[in-house]
């Protein structure tokens, strides 16, 4: 079973993706973490973000692995644990920039599709292009969204917990900048797949969203069992 979760940053995709993966015993794949790992590698190597060729080389030559159970998955970049480093705003912006480069997308999309296809029982993937590009035939597709202010508030609170020094205003500006880039890029911009279930999480608590998503998944499982 493949579950696709797309949407802008801070809409709750990763928290809910992990909850679903845990409940259903599926692999969880945070595809944004891979773009973040490439963004971090580019920053560390001091490469110019306009140099598409060099940035694509980095994406091709670095080894990115997601290891462990959904709730404490670690991200490794060439065998180094970068799970904390990739969560800063600077790396978020770097990820958003490298994700506009078609060659980078090609490499990561292939990697993500292979991981999903080879997963034993199936996979929950969260990102921007899961239901539109990576798995257009996913068994269940969600598009989670929320007002920018609600998303910035959540991100800001997460950052405070992780001791990242920032202000709400800065976080809102970062989110707006990243949203703008993610929806306006030429290759695979963030769009809502026609058959995705859209949930606005601004006013809902996680448990309510989780229940809604589980009922869609159960419907899809039932429909599948009837046809097989
Ligand atoms: O989900 P996230 O905020 O960690 O993602 C970081 C950036 O990576 C995001 O701004 C856009 C990009 N991204 C993408 O283009 N496609 C994906 N499937 C996942 C993330």
């Amino acid at each position: 079973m493949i579950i696709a979760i797309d949407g802008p940053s801070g809409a709750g995709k990763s928290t809910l993706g992990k909850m679903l993966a845990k409940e259903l015993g599926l692999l969880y794949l945070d595809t944004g973490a891979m773009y973040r790992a490439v963004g971090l590698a580019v920053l560390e190597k001091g490469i110019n973000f306009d140099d598409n060729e060099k940035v694509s080389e980095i994406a091709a030559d670095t080894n990115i692995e997601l290891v462990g159970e959904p709730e404490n998955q670690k991200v490794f970049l060439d065998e180094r644990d970068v799970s904390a480093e990739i969560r800063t705003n600077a790396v978020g912006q770097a990820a958003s920039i490298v994700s506009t480069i078609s060659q980078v997308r090609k490499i990561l999309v292939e990697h993500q599709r292979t991981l999903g296809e080879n997963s034993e029982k199936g996979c929950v993937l969260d990102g921007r292009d899961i239901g539109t590009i990576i798995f257009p035939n996913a068994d269940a597709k969600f598009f989670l969204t929320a007002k920018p202010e609600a998303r910035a508030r959540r991100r800001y609170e997460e950052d405070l917990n992780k001791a990242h020094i920032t202000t709400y205003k800065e976080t809102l500006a970062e989110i707006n900048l990243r949203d703008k880039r993610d929806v306006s890029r030429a290759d695979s911009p963030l769009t809502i797949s026609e058959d995705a279930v859209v949930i606005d999480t601004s006013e809902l608590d996680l448990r309510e969203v989780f229940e809604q998503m589980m009922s869609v998944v159960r419907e899809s499982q039932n429909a599948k069992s009837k046809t097989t």
Side-chain angles (χ1 to χ4, degrees):
M1 151 159 266
I2 297 285
I3 301 178
I5 309 178
D6 290 303
S9 127
K13 299 187 302 294
S14 71
T15 309
L16 286 150
K18 287 174 192 171
M19 288 166 81
L20 285 178
K22 191 167 178 225
E23 177 76 16
L24 298 159
L26 304 179
L27 179 75
Y28 168 69
L29 215 60
D30 175 357
T31 64
M34 296 186 172
Y35 287 93
R36 284 172 181 266
V38 174
L40 176 66
V42 171
L43 282 174
E44 286 182 339
K45 293 200 159 78
I47 286 162
N48 190 329
F49 282 93
D50 292 333
D51 191 339
N52 289 6
E53 214 170 296
K54 282 234 171 72
V55 174
S56 304
E57 265 172 39
I58 299 268
D61 296 344
T62 46
N63 182 31
I64 302 163
E65 277 183 289
L66 304 182
V67 179
E69 295 302 308
E71 63 274 32
N72 50 25
Q73 197 161 74
K74 298 265 181 248
V75 183
F76 286 86
L77 174 66
D78 288 333
E79 258 79 311
R80 177 166 59 106
D81 183 353
V82 294
S83 312
E85 280 164 271
I86 60 165
R87 296 298 159 196
T88 63
N89 280 334
V91 176
Q93 293 299 343
S96 169
I97 297 170
V98 301
S99 76
T100 62
I101 303 173
S102 291
Q103 186 58 21
V104 171
R105 299 203 70 80
K106 201 167 161 240
I107 293 162
L108 293 191
V109 163
E110 214 173 279
H111 189 25
Q112 291 156 7
R113 202 177 274 142
T114 308
L115 289 171
E117 279 167 355
N118 293 339
S119 55
E120 202 183 323
K121 289 196 199 153
C123 187
V124 179
L125 298 97
D126 101 51
R128 305 290 190 287
D129 57 348
I130 314 297
T132 49
I133 306 283
I134 305 193
F135 284 111
N137 297 323
D139 300 282
K141 286 187 195 178
F142 299 97
F143 190 94
L144 299 186
T145 184
K147 293 188 189 82
E149 292 74 15
R151 295 190 281 118
R153 173 68 50 203
R154 283 182 200 147
R155 256 301 121 81
Y156 171 63
E157 279 161 14
E158 270 173 33
D159 284 350
L160 282 186
N161 288 335
K162 288 178 194 154
H164 293 156
I165 299 152
T166 182
T167 63
Y168 167 75
K169 233 173 128 186
E170 263 170 23
T171 310
L172 181 61
E174 294 268 358
I175 282 212
N176 284 331
L177 179 63
R178 206 135 69 81
D179 282 357
K180 202 170 155 210
R181 202 183 291 115
D182 294 346
V183 298
S184 60
R185 66 176 177 231
D187 188 347
S188 322
L190 175 65
T191 44
I192 306 179
S193 178
E194 260 178 30
D195 48 353
V197 175
V198 181
I199 305 175
D200 186 325
T201 67
S202 311
E203 314 286 340
L204 298 174
D205 72 36
L206 278 180
R207 204 69 221 171
E208 285 175 285
V209 184
F210 175 71
E211 291 306 333
Q212 276 190 36
M213 292 172 92
M214 274 306 292
S215 73
V216 173
V217 170
R218 282 195 203 100
E219 259 176 50
S220 153
Q221 282 174 324
N222 289 341
K224 215 172 167 183
S225 67
K226 275 185 196 142
T227 56
T228 51

